Every structure is written in structure tokens, then in C-alpha cells.
Coordinates of all heavy atoms in Angstrom, one line a residue:
W192 N 12.8 15.6 12.0 CA 13.1 15.8 13.4 C 12.0 16.6 14.1 O 11.6 16.2 15.3 CB 14.4 16.6 13.5 CG 14.8 17.0 14.9 CD1 14.8 18.3 15.4 CD2 15.2 16.1 15.9 NE1 15.2 18.2 16.7 CE2 15.5 16.9 17.1 CE3 15.3 14.8 16.0 CZ2 15.9 16.4 18.3 CZ3 15.8 14.2 17.3 CH2 16.0 15.1 18.4
M193 N 11.4 17.5 13.5 CA 10.3 18.3 14.1 C 9.1 17.4 14.3 O 8.5 17.4 15.4 CB 9.9 19.4 13.1 CG 8.7 20.3 13.6 SD 7.1 19.6 13.3 CE 7.0 19.8 11.6
L194 N 8.8 16.5 13.4 CA 7.7 15.6 13.6 C 7.9 14.6 14.7 O 7.0 14.2 15.4 CB 7.4 14.8 12.3 CG 6.8 15.6 11.1 CD1 6.8 14.8 9.9 CD2 5.4 16.0 11.5
F195 N 9.2 14.3 14.9 CA 9.6 13.3 16.0 C 9.4 14.0 17.3 O 8.9 13.3 18.3 CB 11.0 12.9 15.8 CG 11.5 12.0 16.9 CD1 11.1 10.7 16.9 CD2 12.3 12.5 17.9 CE1 11.6 9.8 17.9 CE2 12.8 11.6 18.9 CZ 12.4 10.3 18.9
I196 N 9.8 15.2 17.5 CA 9.7 15.9 18.8 C 8.4 16.5 19.1 O 8.0 16.7 20.3 CB 10.9 16.9 19.0 CG1 10.8 18.0 18.0 CG2 12.2 16.2 18.9 CD1 11.8 19.1 18.2
E197 N 7.6 16.9 18.1 CA 6.4 17.6 18.3 C 5.3 16.5 18.6 O 5.3 15.4 18.2 CB 5.9 18.3 17.0 CG 6.7 19.6 16.8 CD 6.3 20.7 17.7 OE1 5.2 20.7 18.3 OE2 7.1 21.7 17.8
K198 N 4.3 16.9 19.5 CA 3.3 16.0 19.9 C 2.0 16.4 19.1 O 1.8 17.5 18.6 CB 3.0 16.1 21.4 CG 4.3 15.9 22.2 CD 4.8 14.5 22.0 CE 6.1 14.2 22.9 NZ 6.7 13.0 22.6
D199 N 1.1 15.5 19.1 CA -0.3 15.7 18.5 C -0.2 16.2 17.0 O -0.9 17.2 16.6 CB -1.1 16.7 19.3 CG -1.2 16.2 20.8 OD1 -1.4 15.0 21.0 OD2 -1.1 17.1 21.7
T200 N 0.7 15.6 16.2 CA 0.8 16.0 14.8 C 0.2 15.0 13.9 O 0.3 15.1 12.7 CB 2.3 16.2 14.4 OG1 3.0 15.0 14.7 CG2 2.9 17.3 15.2
D201 N -0.6 14.0 14.4 CA -1.1 13.0 13.5 C -2.0 13.6 12.4 O -1.9 13.2 11.3 CB -1.9 12.0 14.3 CG -1.0 10.9 15.0 OD1 0.2 11.1 14.9 OD2 -1.5 10.0 15.6
L202 N -2.9 14.5 12.8 CA -3.9 15.1 11.9 C -3.1 15.9 10.9 O -3.5 15.9 9.7 CB -4.9 15.9 12.6 CG -6.0 15.1 13.4 CD1 -7.0 16.0 14.1 CD2 -6.7 14.1 12.5
E203 N -2.1 16.7 11.3 CA -1.3 17.5 10.4 C -0.6 16.6 9.4 O -0.4 16.9 8.2 CB -0.3 18.4 11.2 CG -1.1 19.4 12.0 CD -0.1 20.3 12.8 OE1 1.1 20.3 12.4 OE2 -0.5 21.0 13.7
L204 N -0.1 15.4 9.9 CA 0.6 14.5 9.0 C -0.4 14.0 7.9 O 0.0 13.9 6.8 CB 1.2 13.4 9.8 CG 2.0 12.3 9.0 CD1 3.2 13.0 8.3 CD2 2.6 11.3 10.0
Y205 N -1.6 13.7 8.3 CA -2.6 13.2 7.3 C -2.9 14.3 6.3 O -3.2 14.0 5.1 CB -3.8 12.7 8.0 CG -3.7 11.2 8.3 CD1 -3.2 10.8 9.5 CD2 -4.0 10.3 7.3 CE1 -3.0 9.4 9.8 CE2 -3.8 8.9 7.6 CZ -3.3 8.5 8.8 OH -3.2 7.2 9.1
E206 N -2.9 15.6 6.7 CA -3.2 16.7 5.8 C -2.0 16.7 4.8 O -2.3 16.9 3.6 CB -3.2 18.0 6.5 CG -4.5 18.2 7.3 CD -4.6 19.6 8.0 OE1 -3.5 20.3 8.0 OE2 -5.6 19.9 8.6
A207 N -0.8 16.6 5.2 CA 0.4 16.5 4.3 C 0.3 15.3 3.4 O 0.7 15.4 2.2 CB 1.7 16.6 5.2
R208 N -0.1 14.2 4.0 CA -0.2 13.0 3.2 C -1.2 13.2 2.0 O -1.0 12.6 0.9 CB -0.6 11.8 4.0 CG 0.5 11.3 5.0 CD 0.1 10.1 5.7 NE -0.1 9.0 4.9 CZ -0.6 7.8 5.3 NH1 -1.0 7.7 6.5 NH2 -0.7 6.8 4.4
K209 N -2.3 13.9 2.3 CA -3.3 14.1 1.2 C -2.6 14.8 0.1 O -2.9 14.6 -1.1 CB -4.5 14.9 1.8 CG -5.5 14.0 2.5 CD -6.8 14.8 2.8 CE -6.5 15.9 3.8 NZ -7.8 16.6 4.1
I210 N -1.8 15.8 0.4 CA -1.1 16.6 -0.7 C -0.2 15.7 -1.4 O -0.1 15.7 -2.7 CB -0.4 17.8 0.0 CG1 -1.4 18.7 0.6 CG2 0.5 18.5 -1.1 CD1 -0.7 19.8 1.5
L211 N 0.6 14.9 -0.7 CA 1.7 14.1 -1.4 C 1.1 12.8 -2.0 O 1.4 12.5 -3.2 CB 2.7 13.7 -0.3 CG 3.7 14.8 0.2 CD1 4.5 14.2 1.3 CD2 4.5 15.3 -0.9
E212 N 0.3 12.1 -1.2 CA 0.0 10.7 -1.7 C -1.1 10.6 -2.7 O -1.2 9.6 -3.4 CB -0.3 9.8 -0.4 CG 1.0 9.7 0.4 CD 0.8 8.5 1.4 OE1 0.5 7.4 1.0 OE2 1.0 8.8 2.6
V213 N -2.0 11.6 -2.7 CA -3.1 11.5 -3.7 C -2.4 11.6 -5.1 O -2.7 10.9 -6.0 CB -4.1 12.6 -3.5 CG1 -5.1 12.7 -4.7 CG2 -4.9 12.3 -2.2
Q214 N -1.5 12.6 -5.2 CA -0.9 12.8 -6.5 C 0.1 11.6 -6.8 O 0.2 11.2 -7.9 CB -0.1 14.1 -6.5 CG -0.9 15.3 -6.5 CD -2.0 15.4 -7.6 OE1 -1.6 15.1 -8.8 NE2 -3.2 15.8 -7.3
A215 N 0.7 11.1 -5.7 CA 1.6 9.9 -5.9 C 0.8 8.7 -6.4 O 1.3 8.0 -7.3 CB 2.2 9.6 -4.5
A216 N -0.4 8.5 -6.0 CA -1.2 7.4 -6.5 C -1.5 7.5 -8.0 O -1.4 6.6 -8.7 CB -2.5 7.3 -5.7
G217 N -1.8 8.8 -8.4 CA -2.0 9.0 -9.8 C -0.8 8.8 -10.6 O -0.9 8.2 -11.7
L218 N 0.4 9.2 -10.1 CA 1.6 9.0 -10.9 C 2.0 7.5 -10.9 O 2.4 7.0 -12.0 CB 2.8 9.8 -10.2 CG 2.8 11.3 -10.4 CD1 3.9 11.9 -9.5 CD2 2.9 11.7 -11.8
A219 N 1.8 6.8 -9.8 CA 2.0 5.4 -9.8 C 1.2 4.6 -10.7 O 1.7 3.7 -11.4 CB 1.8 4.9 -8.3
A220 N -0.1 5.0 -10.8 CA -1.0 4.4 -11.8 C -0.5 4.5 -13.2 O -0.6 3.6 -14.1 CB -2.4 4.9 -11.6
A221 N 0.1 5.7 -13.5 CA 0.6 6.0 -14.9 C 1.9 5.3 -15.2 O 2.2 5.0 -16.3 CB 0.7 7.5 -15.1
R222 N 2.7 5.1 -14.1 CA 4.1 4.7 -14.3 C 4.6 3.4 -13.8 O 5.6 2.9 -14.1 CB 5.0 5.8 -13.7 CG 4.8 7.2 -14.3 CD 5.6 8.3 -13.5 NE 5.4 9.6 -14.1 CZ 5.9 10.7 -13.6 NH1 6.6 10.6 -12.5 NH2 5.7 11.9 -14.1
A223 N 3.8 2.8 -12.9 CA 4.2 1.6 -12.2 C 4.5 0.4 -13.2 O 3.7 0.2 -14.1 CB 3.2 1.1 -11.2
D224 N 5.6 -0.3 -13.0 CA 5.9 -1.4 -13.8 C 5.4 -2.7 -13.1 O 4.9 -2.6 -12.0 CB 7.4 -1.5 -14.2 CG 8.3 -1.6 -12.9 OD1 7.9 -2.2 -11.9 OD2 9.4 -1.1 -13.0
E225 N 5.6 -3.8 -13.7 CA 5.1 -5.1 -13.1 C 5.6 -5.4 -11.8 O 4.9 -5.8 -10.9 CB 5.3 -6.2 -14.1 CG 4.7 -7.5 -13.7 CD 4.8 -8.6 -14.7 OE1 5.3 -8.3 -15.9 OE2 4.6 -9.8 -14.4
D226 N 6.9 -5.2 -11.6 CA 7.6 -5.5 -10.3 C 7.1 -4.6 -9.2 O 6.9 -5.1 -8.1 CB 9.1 -5.3 -10.5 CG 9.8 -6.4 -11.3 OD1 9.2 -7.5 -11.4 OD2 10.9 -6.2 -11.8
E227 N 6.8 -3.3 -9.5 CA 6.3 -2.4 -8.5 C 4.9 -2.7 -8.1 O 4.5 -2.6 -7.0 CB 6.4 -1.0 -9.0 CG 7.9 -0.5 -9.1 CD 8.1 0.6 -10.0 OE1 7.2 1.0 -10.9 OE2 9.2 1.3 -10.0
I228 N 4.1 -3.2 -9.1 CA 2.7 -3.6 -8.8 C 2.7 -4.8 -8.0 O 1.9 -5.0 -7.0 CB 1.9 -3.8 -10.1 CG1 1.7 -2.4 -10.8 CG2 0.6 -4.5 -9.9 CD1 1.1 -2.5 -12.2
N229 N 3.7 -5.8 -8.2 CA 3.8 -7.0 -7.4 C 4.2 -6.6 -6.0 O 3.8 -7.3 -5.0 CB 4.8 -7.9 -8.1 CG 4.3 -8.6 -9.3 OD1 3.1 -8.7 -9.5 ND2 5.2 -9.0 -10.2
E230 N 5.0 -5.6 -5.8 CA 5.5 -5.1 -4.5 C 4.3 -4.7 -3.7 O 4.1 -5.0 -2.5 CB 6.5 -4.0 -4.7 CG 7.2 -3.6 -3.4 CD 8.3 -2.6 -3.6 OE1 8.4 -2.0 -4.7 OE2 9.0 -2.3 -2.6
M231 N 3.4 -3.9 -4.3 CA 2.1 -3.5 -3.7 C 1.3 -4.7 -3.3 O 0.7 -4.7 -2.2 CB 1.3 -2.6 -4.6 CG 2.0 -1.2 -4.8 SD 1.1 -0.2 -6.0 CE 2.5 0.6 -6.9
F232 N 1.2 -5.7 -4.2 CA 0.4 -6.9 -3.9 C 0.9 -7.6 -2.7 O 0.2 -8.2 -1.9 CB 0.4 -7.8 -5.1 CG -0.5 -9.0 -5.0 CD1 -1.9 -9.0 -5.0 CD2 0.2 -10.2 -4.8 CE1 -2.6 -10.1 -4.8 CE2 -0.6 -11.4 -4.6 CZ -2.0 -11.3 -4.6
E233 N 2.3 -7.7 -2.6 CA 2.9 -8.4 -1.5 C 2.6 -7.7 -0.2 O 2.3 -8.4 0.8 CB 4.4 -8.4 -1.7 CG 4.9 -9.4 -2.8 CD 6.4 -9.2 -3.1 OE1 7.1 -8.5 -2.3 OE2 6.8 -9.8 -4.1
A234 N 2.5 -6.4 -0.2 CA 2.1 -5.7 1.0 C 0.7 -6.0 1.4 O 0.4 -6.1 2.6 CB 2.3 -4.2 0.8
L235 N -0.2 -6.1 0.4 CA -1.6 -6.4 0.7 C -1.7 -7.8 1.3 O -2.5 -8.0 2.1 CB -2.4 -6.3 -0.6 CG -2.8 -4.9 -1.1 CD1 -3.5 -5.0 -2.4 CD2 -3.7 -4.3 -0.1
E236 N -0.9 -8.8 0.8 CA -1.0 -10.1 1.3 C -0.5 -10.2 2.8 O -1.1 -10.9 3.6 CB -0.1 -11.0 0.5 CG -0.7 -11.4 -0.9 CD -2.0 -12.1 -0.8 OE1 -2.0 -13.3 -0.3 OE2 -3.0 -11.5 -1.1

């Protein structure tokens, strides 16, 4: 809700994404199964 009503938060959101998604990428590489990898490929297509 705060992100929805606050303005000019794009850069702050990317800072938060670095914290979350960098580690998420590492975990996904270690744990992703074939279906989940295919899901990423479909997004790329």
C-alpha cells in the first residue's frame, strides 16, 4: 500500500530488489526443477 501511494519510489524498489532477487536467483539455480526452468523459458519467449 505504501509503495502504491508513495511517489518516486522506483529507485528504492530496485534497491530492495537487489536484496531480494540476487539471493533468489542463487536459490533458484540450486533448487529449480524442470517445470520451473521451462516457465522461465516461456517468459523469455
Side-chain angles (χ1 to χ4, degrees):
W192 175 247
M193 181 276 290
L194 288 171
F195 177 76
I196 62 175
E197 288 285 342
K198 306 300 180 185
D199 303 320
T200 57
D201 280 7
L202 289 179
E203 292 180 17
L204 183 56
Y205 270 93
E206 287 181 354
R208 289 183 66 189
K209 281 190 295 184
I210 296 169
L211 289 173
E212 295 196 54
V213 170
Q214 295 303 318
L218 288 174
R222 301 173 179 175
D224 59 33
E225 187 176 348
D226 287 341
E227 290 159 346
I228 291 172
N229 287 338
E230 189 177 9
M231 294 174 214
F232 180 76
E233 288 171 8
L235 280 175
E236 285 299 292

